[in-house]
Structures are given as C-alpha cells and as structure tokens.
Amino acid sequence: SWMTWPLVIAGCTGRLSLGVKVKYLNSEDYRFRYFTRGKPGSQPSVLMLHGFSLNKDMWLNTIEVFPKDLHLVCLDLPGHGGTTRLLAESHTAVAQAKRIHQFVQCAGLNHNPFHLVGMSMGGMVAGVYAALYPAHISSLALLCPAGKYLHQIAALSIPCGPLYVKFFYKMVRKCTRLKFKMKGRPKGFLDLTSSESRYSLHDNMRKIKAPTQIIWGKEDKVFDSSGAGILAAAIPNSQVHFLEKCGHFITLERPRTSAKLLLEFYKLVCDSAEQKKVA
C-alpha cells in the first residue's frame, strides 16, 4: 500500500483479542492475504472488502460488535496489503471483481450464498461482484461506494506522476484529519477512476437482486451522498442509512454506529430467510 494509516495500523494490535487469524491462499500464480474468524455455519458467511490504499485491518474496529461465532473473512484486495501486486495488472472494478471471484472459489465461499460488504472502492467492487455473480450473494452492504458520483476527484483533470501524488495527498487531507504517508505512483487509483471503471457500478446496479443496505456519511467530500438515492432507486430490495456529522471514512469516523447498522441488516436478512423456509 502506498498510504499508511496510523489509526488502522494501531488497530492491528487488537487482532489477538478479537480472535482473528491471518491466512494466505495461493491460487495459480496469485497469493491472497486475509484474516478470518469463526467457521461456516447455518448462517451466511461475511466477506468484507476495504477501501482504496487501505487493507483488511480497517475492519477491526467494526467487527468488535459482531458475534464471535459469525464466520468473517476480511480480504486484502489485489494490489493492497499482503495480496499479490502485479504492476501490469488492471485494477478496474470489473478486474477486481474477477480476482475476488477467484478467491471466493478457492476459499470455498461459493458453496453457500454469502453476505458481501464493501466500503468506498471496495463498495464499488462489491456492487459489481453482486451483479456479475448473483448466485453467490445472499445480501449486500455498500458503504459510500465509488461511482459516477465521484465529484471531487474523478470529475477533475487528474495530473500524473509526482504532480498527481501531490494532488491526491491534498484531496485526502481535505477529507480527513488523520495523518498518513504516501509512496510510489498510484496506478490502481488511475485504473479505478478511469471512464472504463468509474461507471461500472452505475452500469451494473440494476442487475443487483440481493437485499442491499446503503450507508453514507452526510458530509462525504469524496463521493457525493446523492449516490445513495441513485442506487436505492435502481436496486429493488434496498434500504438507505445516512450518518450525521460523518464524512467519507465511515469505519474510522463512526465504527460502532456503522457496525451496529451492518449487524442489524445482516440479522434482518437472515431472519427473513428463516421465515421463508418455515413458510
């Protein structure tokens, strides 16, 4: 990762107390790094996808309120954390979704439909995944997912190289008070904000059939919160939650509130599925 978040790194020390185990999965010439807790059971497993330049550890504060027996899998996305980084690889939303499909199959998550959660870039990828592989998804949660409503960054003419890095540094500083360090050239971000990728979720959202939860910070300065209404109008079985006095980095700014919303929705979907079985 070319960005380091002290708050997230500090959270890594809590892994042992949370009972998560870091694992690796090798598939062909690719290596995925993830952490997991619990074992697959009667209720759907939960796969969680982080935001751009972050890693799986951004979910540590969130899963504190989740039941210890709930099967969780938090993945380092391609090009992030301990998962393989191939310089020539595409990091568009569709390409990321296909790599996650590779992980899902190798990890055996596709044996039963699972609950998919994604924030920011991970939200865009999660939405595209749900559209491309609907049989895998029991339900979906999108936290301020990236898309065509990216009004502060992708709508501008983005410079490349050192000028780009300066530009993005200033943009993210504007959106959070957290300090971070940056290194390298962020090709993955250029792939994600390209015209090919930026409209991926918008172009696929009507294909999403799973019950969907949409959470957005009302003061998000990266992705316009009007995207929540656009998604809700296109996804038949969806609900929207706006968080007051919250910006883009939901899991860092409102970890417990967002976690409780995620868990409530998960339980609601599970209860609904059980009632259908009984009927």
Side-chain angles (χ1 to χ4, degrees):
S1 174
W2 55 272
M3 193 183 298
T4 302
W5 298 85
L7 185 60
V8 176
I9 291 175
C12 296
T13 60
R15 281 185 190 158
L16 289 177
S17 64
L18 291 173
V20 302
K21 296 179 180 178
V22 176
K23 295 186 177 182
Y24 289 89
L25 189 154
N26 295 310
S27 172
E28 299 173 0
D29 61 341
Y30 216 79
R31 192 183 203 195
F32 295 95
R33 190 178 193 227
Y34 62 103
F35 71 65
T36 183
R37 187 176 73 186
K39 295 181 179 180
S42 58
Q43 293 189 324
S45 298
V46 179
L47 175 61
M48 308 183 83
L49 309 180
H50 60 79
F52 180 77
S53 83
L54 300 174
N55 60 47
K56 62 190 176 304
D57 292 327
M58 67 158 273
W59 297 112
L60 287 172
N61 288 336
T62 301
I63 67 171
E64 270 191 294
V65 304
F66 285 16
K68 291 287 179 72
D69 59 347
L70 178 60
H71 184 223
L72 297 170
V73 177
C74 298
L75 175 67
D76 279 342
L77 290 174
H80 294 72
T83 292
T84 298
R85 180 193 304 269
L86 299 177
L87 294 178
E89 183 175 30
S90 169
H91 288 86
T92 63
V94 171
Q96 294 267 31
K98 288 179 178 178
R99 278 294 187 190
I100 292 164
H101 177 59
Q102 180 182 349
F103 171 80
V104 164
Q105 289 184 306
C106 292
L109 284 172
N110 59 320
H111 293 163
N112 293 297
F114 58 87
H115 179 56
L116 182 59
V117 181
M119 192 190 93
S120 193
M121 172 198 75
M124 175 166 66
V125 175
V128 171
Y129 188 99
L132 295 179
Y133 308 103
H136 291 180
I137 306 301
S138 62
S139 48
L140 177 69
L142 305 176
L143 285 68
C144 53
K148 65 176 290 185
Y149 32 81
L150 176 61
H151 66 92
Q152 290 281 2
I153 296 177
L156 303 177
S157 177
I158 301 178
C160 297
L163 288 178
Y164 166 79
V165 174
K166 272 186 167 182
F167 167 82
F168 190 74
Y169 177 82
K170 288 173 67 176
M171 186 63 238
V172 179
R173 276 186 61 189
K174 180 180 177 182
C175 303
T176 178
R177 287 174 288 183
L178 296 174
K179 296 181 180 179
F180 55 87
K181 296 179 181 178
M182 300 170 56
K183 59 183 179 180
R185 183 178 178 182
K187 175 185 179 297
F189 184 79
L190 296 177
D191 284 349
L192 283 165
T193 56
S194 67
S195 57
E196 176 188 356
S197 186
R198 193 190 318 162
Y199 292 88
S200 295
L201 179 54
H202 185 267
D203 292 344
N204 285 282
M205 60 187 180
R206 288 176 178 79
K207 298 176 186 176
I208 298 174
K209 304 303 179 186
T212 301
Q213 177 184 46
I214 303 159
I215 304 175
W216 222 296
K218 276 198 170 181
E219 297 179 16
D220 193 334
K221 292 184 174 63
V222 182
F223 304 144
D224 198 313
S225 59
S226 63
I230 295 172
L231 290 169
I235 302 172
N237 189 3
S238 60
Q239 58 177 251
V240 176
H241 304 274
F242 287 109
L243 301 182
E244 300 286 344
K245 296 181 181 179
C246 180
H248 180 65
F249 300 96
I250 290 174
T251 60
L252 302 180
E253 297 178 57
R254 294 288 184 274
R256 296 193 68 82
T257 302
S258 56
K260 287 178 181 177
L261 285 172
L262 288 170
L263 189 56
E264 285 171 5
F265 178 73
Y266 174 84
K267 288 179 177 178
L268 179 67
V269 173
C270 289
D271 289 346
S272 177
E274 285 297 321
Q275 289 174 5
K276 287 181 180 178
K277 286 181 184 179
V278 173

